[in-house]
Amino acid sequence: MSLREIFSPGPLPPAHLTRRRDFWLSLMGIMLLAGLLMGVERLAGGYWVHMTCLAGIYLVLASGYNLVNGVTGQFSLAPNAFVACGAYVTSLLTMAPAEKALNFILEPLVWPLSVIHLPLGLALVIAGLVTALMAFGMGFTVFRVRGDYLAIVTLGLGEVIRVVANNAQGVTNGPLGLKGIPHLTNNLWWTWGLAVVALFVLTRLAKSSYGLALKAIREDEGAAESMGINVFWHKMLAFTTDAFLEGMAGGLLAQLITTISPSLFTFFLTFNLLIIIVVGGLGSMTGAALAALLITFGGEWLRVVEEPMSLLGLSVPGIPGMRMVIFSLLLMACMIFMRRGLLGKSEFSWRWLLAVLSRRGPRP
Amino acid sequence: MSREILRVAGLTCRFGGLMAVDGLDLTLRAGDLAGLIGPNGAGKTTVFNLLTGRVGATEGAVSFQGQAVLGLKSHQINRLGMGRTFQNIRLFGELSVLSNVLVGFHGRLEASFLSAIFRLPAYRREERRVLARAAELLELVGLQDLARERAGSLAYGQQRLLEIARALATGPSLLLLDEPAAGMNPQETANLAGLVRRLRDDMGLTVLLIEHDMRFVMSLCEHITVLDYGKVIARGTPEEVRGDPAVIQAYLGAGLELGQGEAVHA
Ligand SMILES: Nc1ncnc2c1ncn2[C@@H]1O[C@H](COP(=O)(O)OP(=O)(O)O)[C@@H](O)[C@H]1O
Ligand SMILES: [Mg+2]
């Protein structure tokens, strides 16, 4: 079951007939989002701004990751490496030279990095490119293998990046990490700007001829190859596109938390993203986005269960960690009742939403 | 006589101790409609896999359109103009019928990645053209009304037709069909024969097909090669092959085949 199957209004009109209307609806959706963000910024506290930023970053990370794992069907476990790369590159490029000198006490930062000081936008693009380049290099080894082996190799590479970050004292400051990364006051707008662009690019990509080719590789790699698709380069395309977006999102993550160290980019980061894309529905971009929001905010809403409360006259003391128990139960329920995730392999579309809304009463 | 399109010389493929294909020679001319038959396990599918680069050859040479193709990757061989279907249907099951055909066009897509994402005019033009061509191909194989169904949900016979449409989308000059009639009822088989003939007569394709349904092969193909244990045991017109003692022996040896496909009424 997926949402798409629970609310299935029957055949939808072909996409090309409603393209103009859908465009305006999307535009209105973006304006509504902007209004919401403005509301969060003005009315809610710094904590909610922080959470909203985090949700946006996770949205980008998860939907990018979904391009590789869900759409192309390549079970990669390397996104922590991409996020780490983006975070370090952005931080090193945007921190003031004096601040960097304060950080690197054991060993000075290598030369060009020690004096470079770039504006955030440029730094983010460079971070994206550097991460994409790293993915490109990794791809040559990674895509020699498939399936479980691919998972193992990418898991290994993710760990390698962390070890490198731990030991390249002169570049990453080793286990000490980087502190005093400039805090971005309007991070909300950067993050959600990136989120909108990323989601636009990714959904367009998934629907394009290239996206079809990626899905074909997921369905049957050999058949795709026999139909004239250069499987290796298409996997590379997905991998580097993902890396570019995750590198930028990693950069924004660093600007949000202002302190990074290698221990932040362990397998657990990958694991969180994996949960998100599985819950959203492997292969669905909008599903990944929806799940990213649900899981980041859901974790916060679930905090109520850890507070002391009175149940049927009994006063129950707050149980720390209860949140994770409930979270796990919810995940299990999701896997039992919605085995293909919230949206399965399908995408959210205005055509679908309007058809659901306009259908009155239960299905005959 | 028309131009030579495929020349196979001494093609050999060994799996461990098993000679799956043993010194195959085969020549096809443009516009040929040829058959490759033989008992189960004779090595027919392996020949297709060798030609399309899915399996590496142990020895031999294959020249397609004058170009040596052994050693090339499957997608490269496909782009030279060799399209194929699979005996064990290998559609992109979760994708729609239309999408399966569209994937076939992707290998020859000219629009770049970025122009596809931003739907630049060049991409949109190409997309329109490809959509129209895909609709034509679906119409050709008679699946136009099922375009939006999930490919995996089609009946076997329809899936085989979709495999043909998908292969045609890649723009082949030589089409390799691996047991296209398997799982079809007599009516579907008759329609398929008509389709294959049209592909050759109207679209000018060269067709090499593997099939167990002897009536289908004998009535459709003009030239037949018979394999047994990887070796060619006979070749010629349907009449010549039908009466060949070696063929009768091979099929009698594999008792089941006889009843199944009415192989020999010598
Ligand atoms: N990839 C492979 N690895 C090992 N043996 C194979 C492989 N493909 C086919 N074979 C073997 O080669 C022989 C010929 O198989 P195949 O070409 O599928 O026969 P046919 O299509 O004529 O029924 C069979 O004995 C089969 O088991
Ligand atoms: Mg076979």
Side-chain angles (χ1 to χ4, degrees), chain B residues 40-41 44-46 87 178-179 210 212:
Chain B
N40 265 328
K44 306 177 297 293
T45 298
T46 306
Q87 176 181 356
D178 198 344
E179 304 202 12
I210 297 172
H212 274 303

Side-chain angles (χ1 to χ4, degrees), chain B residues 35-37 44-45 48 177-180 208-212 217:
Chain B
L36 184 62
I37 64 171
K44 306 177 297 293
T45 298
F48 277 17
L177 303 175
D178 198 344
E179 304 202 12
L208 176 63
L209 60 88
I210 297 172
E211 189 44 68
H212 274 303
V217 180

